[in-house]
Amino acid sequence: MHKLTVLYHHPEDPEAFDQYYETTHVPIAENIPDVKHFESGRLLATPDGEEPQYHRIAELWFESADQLQESMGSPEGLAATGDIANFATRGVTSFISEVE
């Protein structure tokens, strides 16, 4: 399995970010083909109680690296990726990992 992780930096307006993310972005992302598992969460704190470096995390699991690339390159994947600029005012950090 391969996983795409998206870390959303703290937005300028957290309330507006969360509203848009939940009502607009997630429905777009849910159309990405061949996602085996989708998980998202708002970060609350680090283990030592400090503010986390990021506001939110999203993880999309795929059967293989090829499937991940194909799905993210699909019209639905490109729509989800393109939508990020509409609400993630301070950007994202993303990476792909092989799940062991």
Side-chain angles (χ1 to χ4, degrees):
M1 296 286 282
H2 284 73
K3 178 172 60 170
L4 171 63
T5 300
V6 182
L7 300 169
Y8 294 90
H9 297 270
H10 290 284
E12 294 168 11
D13 183 344
E15 192 171 303
F17 175 103
D18 290 338
Q19 175 70 21
Y20 187 95
Y21 182 84
E22 294 169 11
T23 62
T24 303
H25 186 70
V26 169
I28 293 170
E30 288 178 334
N31 289 321
I32 299 170
D34 300 313
V35 174
K36 298 298 180 192
H37 179 71
F38 171 75
E39 190 171 295
S40 176
R42 190 171 52 83
L43 303 178
L44 302 176
T46 64
D48 62 0
E50 297 293 321
E51 180 180 16
Q53 184 176 354
Y54 302 100
H55 178 69
R56 181 172 282 279
I57 183 172
E59 297 178 309
L60 294 85
W61 297 60
F62 297 88
E63 194 65 42
S64 67
D66 289 340
Q67 186 63 66
L68 186 157
Q69 294 296 334
E70 183 178 320
S71 295
M72 294 310 297
S74 72
E76 297 87 353
L78 294 173
T81 303
D83 186 53
I84 291 172
N86 293 328
F87 67 99
T89 54
R90 294 205 172 124
V92 301
T93 297
S94 60
F95 52 89
I96 297 169
S97 58
E98 183 175 16
V99 180
E100 298 176 343

